[in-house]
Amino acid sequence: MKLGLFGFGCVGQGLWKVLHETKGIRADIKRICIKHPDKQRPVPTHFFTTHAADILDDPEIDVVVELIDDAEAAFEIVSGALSRGKAVVSANKKMIAHRLPELYALQQKTGAPFLYEGACCASIPIIRNLEEYYDNDLLTSVEGIFNGTTNVILTKIFEENLSFGEALKFAQANGFAESDPTLDVEGFDPKFKLCILLLHAFGVFVQPEKVLHFGIHRLNDFDIEFARSRGSVLKLVARCFRENDKVAAYCLPRFVQKGHRYEGVRHEYNAVTLESGFSERQVFVGKGAGDKPTGCAVLSDISALHYQYKYEYRKFGQNGTFFDTKGTLLTVYVRHEHEGQVTESDFSEITERYASNKAKYLVGKIQLEKLQTAAWLREPGVNVIEYV
Ligand code: HSE
């Protein structure tokens, strides 16, 4: 196979390394399309071009690997390559989560394969497992820690008493964070991954805008102390589950009791927990971010193209499942600044209330739909954490 690569950042260089360290894979990078030709790069200059057409219109290149971080430009590249009948591998979760319906239609029309294991939890082979092994409708839930950067930050805060800023800098310096790290810390990135998994787990297309997400950006010392006092740590957890034909999803930080299976998932590791009718709980743990773990998932997709592997999307349209958040009740801790800032009538039950000069919080049950539309949730000074 001759590969045309778009982007040579952290993941692109990771792919370069793993490809050159792997014997027995019959794939060579022919060209690499980049934005800034003047940057110093550890690869001979003849590989580089700034013209997409040098890859897209090269008949010798049969696989396009898209690893840039601009979602709009990435969609143009991926759709352009699929339309030309080229196989495509991508790790662009933001672009894929937003454009899945069009990308699915393009694959149906052109017959060209489009693989993106690197977009969800890097080294954990979750998409292919959902496609191949969990190829039936017995799956009831998929949840886990889908973001390495926030997990690094939370680990460093809880275990090393590092400040949020220092921990984020560490994640950025190690190539875990997105170039816009608000995507990580505010919970967009794990939500994008969740939207992709929703299709492969339950056969539903769900636009990211429909799914509640809240990150760890509002975390303060009071919340950290609260977690400690309850014998917990914090994890950012994305979750989707099915009840009869209905599927719901959300992404929230969560208190995790010491000894829980997620406590030991530290640093840039991710975890995916699957629940299904007969096999019950299964947990996958692995590095969820970084150059080589992501490069390795991309390489595995390239390798799968050798045997004409394609996603079949068998669950789509098969079992009449639809996305609906109605009726999902969550128990949450809500810390706030002022009396009356949180509309208590939004809660169906309040089990704990606390107020001091330092902080105020309540713990209660609230419908997911109510939480999603609550104006108070958007106010600075308000933080929400799932309390399970
Ligand atoms: N920024 C992402 C993360 C990279 O931290 O998980 C891997 O998708």
Side-chain angles (χ1 to χ4, degrees):
M1 282 187 292
K2 291 272 177 241
L3 313 179
L5 181 58
F6 283 86
F8 204 59
C10 174
V11 182
Q13 294 186 34
L15 173 65
W16 178 275
K17 287 181 213 159
V18 296
L19 188 60
H20 288 89
E21 287 171 26
T22 309
K23 307 254 174 299
I25 180 142
R26 288 164 289 131
D28 297 307
I29 295 176
K30 184 178 177 193
R31 292 318 287 278
I32 306 172
C33 184
I34 36 113
K35 222 166 35 184
H36 305 291
D38 301 329
K39 253 194 213 167
Q40 281 292 316
R41 294 186 171 89
V43 167
T45 50
H46 71 263
F47 278 103
F48 295 105
T49 175
T50 51
H51 303 290
D54 287 348
I55 290 177
L56 294 177
D57 294 334
D58 181 341
E60 214 197 2
I61 290 178
D62 38 21
V63 180
V64 166
V65 183
E66 180 282 306
L67 300 171
I68 65 172
D69 65 358
D70 174 339
E72 285 307 310
F75 179 72
E76 294 308 314
I77 292 161
V78 169
S79 54
L82 289 172
S83 306
R84 287 166 175 82
K86 293 186 193 290
V88 181
V89 175
S90 168
N92 199 318
K93 48 262 157 124
K94 182 177 178 186
M95 181 275 287
I96 299 168
H98 283 101
R99 312 299 287 258
L100 257 177
E102 290 146 283
L103 293 166
Y104 170 78
L106 256 175
Q107 290 169 79
Q108 300 304 306
K109 190 171 144 206
T110 62
F114 175 46
L115 304 180
Y116 40 84
E117 191 66 73
C120 290
C121 306
S123 73
I124 301 177
I126 188 61
I127 298 180
R128 233 180 291 168
N129 267 298
L130 289 171
E131 279 281 302
E132 302 305 317
Y133 187 85
Y134 298 91
D135 167 29
N136 50 56
D137 61 0
L138 298 173
L139 209 58
T140 51
S141 116
V142 179
E143 67 146 52
I145 299 166
F146 294 175
N147 183 264
T149 299
T150 46
N151 211 39
V152 165
I153 295 173
L154 292 169
T155 307
K156 295 215 165 270
I157 287 177
F158 276 86
E159 294 184 15
E160 297 168 31
N161 282 317
L162 238 64
S163 72
F164 193 100
E166 287 166 329
L168 173 59
K169 272 205 193 106
F170 176 87
Q172 288 177 301
N174 284 277
F176 304 141
E178 298 301 299
S179 28
D180 171 6
T182 56
L183 294 175
D184 298 296
V185 297
E186 294 190 14
F188 288 96
D189 176 83
K191 177 172 81 166
F192 296 150
K193 293 164 181 164
L194 182 65
C195 290
I196 297 171
L197 295 185
L198 271 158
L199 179 59
H200 294 279
F202 298 121
V204 287
F205 287 102
V206 182
Q207 276 301 308
E209 292 67 34
K210 294 249 155 57
V211 178
L212 169 72
H213 74 277
F214 201 89
I216 59 167
H217 52 300
R218 299 258 179 88
L219 196 64
N220 71 9
D221 289 345
F222 186 87
D223 305 323
I224 295 164
E225 268 323 300
F226 179 89
R228 287 198 170 115
S229 72
R230 305 275 159 135
S232 298
V233 294
L234 285 172
K235 297 288 174 188
L236 183 57
V237 178
R239 174 173 181 234
C240 61
F241 59 98
R242 197 183 63 165
E243 268 168 14
N244 302 318
D245 289 343
K246 264 172 42 173
V247 175
Y250 60 91
C251 173
L252 286 175
R254 185 190 284 181
F255 294 109
V256 166
Q257 281 289 313
K258 294 255 165 78
H260 184 277
R261 65 182 181 281
Y262 292 156
E263 190 206 351
V265 181
R266 299 158 62 242
H267 304 293
E268 75 271 31
Y269 278 80
N270 281 188
V272 184
T273 303
L274 305 179
E275 304 266 356
S276 86
F278 295 132
S279 46
E280 300 184 5
R281 176 177 297 156
Q282 293 175 307
V283 187
F284 298 72
V285 176
K287 286 197 172 175
D291 57 354
K292 284 190 180 176
T294 315
C296 155
V298 172
L299 186 66
S300 176
D301 279 348
I302 294 168
S303 175
L305 291 172
H306 277 303
Y307 53 91
Q308 280 77 46
Y309 180 72
K310 281 180 190 182
Y311 301 142
E312 298 285 343
Y313 302 95
R314 273 189 284 266
K315 289 168 210 163
F316 173 54
Q318 202 178 56
N319 49 16
T321 314
F322 58 97
F323 184 72
D324 185 0
T325 50
K326 274 193 207 79
T328 299
L329 196 61
L330 303 177
T331 304
V332 291
Y333 153 100
V334 182
R335 190 253 308 145
H336 51 103
E337 270 175 353
H338 320 292
E339 209 58 62
Q341 193 174 20
V342 176
T343 312
E344 293 201 8
S345 59
D346 282 349
F347 289 74
S348 54
E349 189 187 345
I350 293 181
T351 49
E352 237 184 287
R353 255 193 211 90
Y354 171 89
S356 74
N357 291 339
K358 222 166 128 197
K360 299 168 183 35
Y361 72 80
L362 56 84
V363 176
K365 290 193 195 316
I366 187 168
Q367 292 286 339
L368 171 56
E369 254 197 330
K370 271 259 192 283
L371 188 62
Q372 201 160 359
T373 50
W376 47 261
L377 190 61
R378 275 144 206 97
E379 284 186 25
V382 175
N383 191 25
V384 64
I385 302 174
E386 193 177 11
Y387 193 98
V388 288

